[in-house]
Amino acid sequence: MGNDGRKKRCFLLKRRFIRVAFPEGHFIDYPLTEAIEATVKYPDIRLSEAITSFIRSVLNRRLAGGEHDSGMDAAKAV
C-alpha cells in the first residue's frame, strides 16, 4: 500500500522487456525472463555481461542438443 492508502503498482512485471543503458549512450531491450534468469545464474557480474553469457549458454545447449539442424544428420542417415 502507498502513502495515500491505494495499492502500489509494479510496472516492471507488466513489461516484457527491460532496457539496459550502456555507458557509451546506447540502449538495448532484453526479454525480462532472460534478464531474470541471467541475474540468478550469474549474480556476480554486470547485467549486460550476465545476459550475454546466459544467451551464449542457451545457444550452445541448443546447438549441442541437436535443435539446430545443419543438414549433416540427414546426410549421415543416407
Side-chain angles (χ1 to χ4, degrees):
M1 290 275 186
N3 293 338
D4 60 357
R6 291 183 173 178
K7 278 186 167 182
K8 283 188 173 182
R9 288 183 164 193
C10 184
F11 292 101
L12 179 67
L13 297 178
K14 291 183 179 182
R15 298 173 194 235
R16 298 171 83 176
F17 295 90
I18 186 168
R19 179 166 287 170
V20 177
F22 291 88
E24 298 85 25
H26 68 279
F27 303 93
I28 299 179
D29 292 336
Y30 292 103
L32 186 58
T33 54
E34 289 181 6
I36 292 170
E37 289 182 49
T39 303
V40 170
K41 191 170 183 178
Y42 305 103
D44 297 332
I45 59 177
R46 282 190 264 154
L47 179 60
S48 58
E49 294 173 6
I51 292 172
T52 302
S53 297
F54 176 75
I55 291 172
R56 283 186 184 144
S57 70
V58 168
L59 291 175
N60 286 337
R61 275 191 307 229
R62 286 183 183 168
L63 291 173
E67 291 182 38
H68 176 73
D69 183 16
S70 63
M72 294 302 293
D73 294 333
K76 288 179 187 176
V78 174

